[in-house]
Amino acid sequence: MGKGGRANVQKATVEAVWTSPYNPLDPKAPALPSKGQIKAAIPKECFDKSYMHSMWFVLRDSLMAGALVYATNAALSTDAPSKLLSLEGLAWFAGWNFYAFWMGTILTGHWVLAHECGHGAFSPSQTFNDIWGFVMHQALLVPYFAWQFSHAKHHKRTNNLVDGESHVPTTGEENGLINGVRVSFYAAWHEAMGDGAFAGWQVFSHCVLGWPLYLMGLASTGRLANDGTFLGEGEIIDHFRPSSKMFPAKIRAKIIMSTLGVIASLGLLLKISIDHGFLTVFLWYTAPYMWTNAWLVTYTWLQHSDPSVPQYGADEWTWVRGALSTIDRPYGIFCFFHHKIGSTHVAHHLFHEMPFYRADEATAAIKAFLEPKGLYNYDPTPWYKAMWRIANTCHYIEDIKGVQYYKSFNDIPLTKDKKKAA
């Protein structure tokens, strides 16, 4: 077993904070069911896919987006007021921020639908899925086929510290914590910034910078190349180069297609910016796009991170262990806009081929089967409070071997305090 015990869990329990009921380090931990046993508990009709049902949601989300564009165009101008620090200026600023947030929220629905296409859950035809997934994702500057491959690996290796993909925890040493001493990078940044400011940086870096950095291979990627070998020091696996070690040679044509699609979308945005102004494009497209990115990173971050949820080295990981490490959370009204991707995420990770509009029924069946065994993760904490808690507690792991739990820099003695003690 690894060294990373549940140090934060005891503290969390005292404070009445949710903790995962499953602890693989506990000698009395329940035996895990097989994937087949879990599937047998779900009604078979939950796996039925419908062209019309899925396309209805594309139409629904598109009508909402169109209605918001129409209303915003009638109420606001893209020309900045001459005096921003005036009632007119404040109304303009508030109006465009309102549009950006809600358009980004609506477009996250399209993002989720394209995500369904990538999994093959959108319709019975993968060709149909790929066409619609490509169109919706490329419109949001997502390299569809590249993401489809990396996201499939995320599902195949969930919470695998060696071969996982997306939101793979980094070690204390990788964060500049050497033998309990803050030497560099995040470990030193945390001391300089303080607990609250560092948590704020965690939220900002995830929600604002995280998605583009991930696509460029600069953050949150896996540790292994597609051939199973460890990446070299400073080696980058991005989503754009067909030669990226993330991808096998057989899908290079698809990677080229995805990259060209993103370049074409960026070219169109540049042309519109030149013709109509960069502020116009920022207000109508870029600001909502940033909110969409924030939402999708928030979901992935929160559904797989908690100081009480185990992460597994290659010696301890199994597919069922990884899938059952997923967490369902309540997102209130945003479940409507985002097709309940966060509140039914356990079902999604167990059976990604299941259409999202069946996930509620499947989740109820999964919960009835797993919860009595202490194997179902549902954190009722409001998502924004859970985000702040995770930003404060999920900073690093001790090793990539054995069973590990997230640790917090908040619990590491400050360098100045160590010097005083000496």
Side-chain angles (χ1 to χ4, degrees), residues 22-34:
Y22 178 64
N23 178 8
L25 298 175
D26 187 343
K28 298 180 180 179
L32 300 184
S34 67

Side-chain angles (χ1 to χ4, degrees), residues 133-145 257-258 261-262 265:
F134 186 88
V135 169
M136 289 187 285
H137 261 178
Q138 298 299 150
L140 294 169
L141 303 182
V142 180
Y144 173 74
F145 289 113
M257 188 186 308
S258 293
V262 172
S265 297

Side-chain angles (χ1 to χ4, degrees), residues 7-70:
N8 287 331
V9 177
Q10 294 176 353
K11 179 180 178 182
T13 303
V14 172
E15 297 173 354
V17 174
W18 177 84
T19 59
S20 173
Y22 178 64
N23 178 8
L25 298 175
D26 187 343
K28 298 180 180 179
L32 300 184
S34 67
K35 183 178 181 180
Q37 289 173 320
I38 301 172
K39 188 173 185 178
I42 302 172
K44 292 182 179 179
E45 57 268 23
C46 288
F47 295 89
D48 294 340
K49 306 167 190 176
S50 166
Y51 292 97
M52 294 300 293
H53 205 158
S54 294
M55 288 302 296
W56 153 246
F57 285 100
V58 176
L59 176 61
R60 187 203 76 172
D61 291 357
S62 299
L63 287 173
M64 288 194 296
L68 183 56
V69 167
Y70 180 83

Side-chain angles (χ1 to χ4, degrees), residues 328-332 335 342-343 378-384:
D328 281 346
R329 299 183 185 277
Y331 287 87
C335 284
S343 58
Y378 175 77
D379 180 1
T381 308
W383 63 271
Y384 49 91

Side-chain angles (χ1 to χ4, degrees), residues 144-214:
Y144 173 74
F145 289 113
W147 165 86
Q148 183 184 49
F149 180 86
S150 66
H151 192 65
K153 185 178 179 183
H154 165 68
H155 274 255
K156 291 175 183 176
R157 298 289 187 271
T158 306
N159 281 36
N160 186 315
L161 293 170
V162 176
D163 199 21
E165 179 63 37
S166 175
H167 292 272
V168 180
T170 49
T171 65
E173 184 173 343
E174 289 168 334
N175 283 283
L177 185 66
I178 311 299
N179 297 321
V181 178
R182 301 167 185 264
V183 175
S184 61
F185 196 36
Y186 272 179
W189 290 15
H190 173 270
E191 176 158 358
M193 297 170 74
D195 295 352
F198 187 79
W201 164 252
Q202 286 284 90
V203 173
F204 176 83
S205 61
H206 276 80
C207 295
V208 179
L209 306 177
W211 178 244
L213 289 178
Y214 173 64

Side-chain angles (χ1 to χ4, degrees), residues 72 76 90-104 282-283 287-288 291:
T72 303
L76 296 172
L90 292 175
W92 182 87
F93 182 80
W96 278 112
N97 272 278
F98 178 90
Y99 164 81
F101 175 79
W102 284 108
M103 181 57 80
F282 177 83
L283 293 172
W291 274 112

